[in-house]
Amino acid sequence: MQWVADVGAATGRSIAYVGGLAGIFGKSLQLLFLSPLKRTRMLQRAVHEAAAAGVGALPITSLITFFVGVIIALQGAYELQRLGAMQLVASLVAIAITRELGPLITAIVVIGRSGSAFAAEIGTMRVTEELDALQTMALDPVAFLAVPKFLAMAVMLPCLAIWADLMGILGGALFGVVGGGYTFRGYMLATRDALFLRDITSGVVKSVVFGLVITAVGCHEGFTTGSGAEEVGRSTTSAVVISILLVILIDLVFTAIFYLARGGT
């Protein structure tokens, strides 16, 4: 039965791929904590990566999450108005943004901006033999390229997610003030009353994991790029597609864990 063999082969490739991601992440941790002489250089490069991946993503992240907040408020108000529960619009927007959409949209934006860039940068260096040149100069490519990216993304993605939460809530407030019968102060007070600390921290925890996964996929695709410019494009495309898939799967797992931890409420 050929399909059984195909499924087995695909499963084996998937497990090997996850092993490759774990390998590059583990080696990065080892280099970070066991190479004190290189740590300063890693931190300097991490600051540069943080500016590019984090600060550079602020405008587009702000715009998208603001509009998403408006959309959620509009869609929620359409149904809640029929039930006479317009006062719940602020709660709906706040919970949807902080628990799910803020971290998830931020991760997808960063995948498009930075995850693809990681794969293209390292893949190009591999094709042009710059990685070999780094090794000739006694520079570990993982320490020089991957570790700063891991550090930058682990710090900046949670910061971006918190900012996205704020912009999404402000987007909902725009509708609440213009068409929902709220005052701005009343809307923000309703948002505060609807949120618990766990709603925000769950999104932050997700964002840290998202950042590590995005970096691992981008770097792994770059380091495993084949020869030729076409392979760089393939690696970049694979990095985006696989990162989005893994982020969605991880989000599902975390959401299920948090749901069970709250006792199904």
Side-chain angles (χ1 to χ4, degrees), residues 50 53 110-111 114-115 118 148-158 207-208 210-212 214-215:
V110 171
I111 288 169
S114 301
F118 294 164
K149 291 175 171 57
F150 275 111
L151 289 173
M153 293 288 276
V155 172
M156 294 308 299
L157 206 63
S207 297
V208 174
F210 291 165
L212 297 177
I214 293 167
T215 308

Side-chain angles (χ1 to χ4, degrees), residues 17-215:
Y17 190 90
V18 173
L21 299 183
I24 193 170
F25 177 65
K27 184 175 181 181
S28 298
L29 282 180
Q30 180 183 16
L31 289 169
L32 178 62
F33 290 107
L34 300 181
S35 302
L37 296 178
K38 300 178 182 178
R39 194 172 300 159
T40 302
R41 183 181 299 166
M42 294 176 190
L43 293 175
Q44 290 173 345
R45 288 187 57 82
V47 172
H48 170 74
E49 296 287 353
V55 178
L58 272 176
I60 185 63
T61 302
S62 302
L63 191 65
I64 291 175
T65 49
F66 182 85
F67 288 153
V68 167
V70 177
I71 292 168
I72 295 173
L74 284 167
Q75 294 287 3
Y78 177 77
E79 293 297 328
L80 291 173
Q81 188 175 29
R82 296 167 58 187
L83 302 174
M86 281 290 288
Q87 72 276 9
L88 298 179
V89 170
S91 302
L92 172 66
V93 173
I95 292 173
I97 288 291
T98 55
R99 288 187 185 179
E100 291 296 331
L101 292 178
L104 192 58
I105 291 173
T106 300
I108 293 173
V109 170
V110 171
I111 288 169
R113 290 191 74 260
S114 301
S116 58
F118 294 164
E121 174 192 350
I122 299 174
T124 302
M125 294 179 71
R126 181 173 180 82
V127 170
T128 57
E129 299 182 350
E130 292 180 57
L131 297 182
D132 296 332
L134 288 175
Q135 292 177 323
T136 302
M137 294 185 292
L139 293 174
D140 190 322
V142 174
F144 188 75
L145 297 170
V147 175
K149 291 175 171 57
F150 275 111
L151 289 173
M153 293 288 276
V155 172
M156 294 308 299
L157 206 63
C159 295
L160 282 173
I162 293 173
W163 179 257
D165 292 345
L166 174 61
M167 295 306 297
I169 290 170
L170 290 178
L174 175 63
F175 169 78
V177 172
V178 173
Y182 285 90
T183 63
F184 181 77
R185 183 173 182 274
Y187 187 94
M188 299 309 290
L189 288 175
T191 299
R192 184 197 65 184
D193 294 339
L195 290 176
F196 294 93
L197 182 61
R198 65 179 182 231
D199 297 322
I200 299 173
T201 54
S202 65
V204 172
V205 171
K206 289 180 184 179
S207 297
V208 174
V209 179
F210 291 165
L212 297 177
V213 169
I214 293 167
T215 308

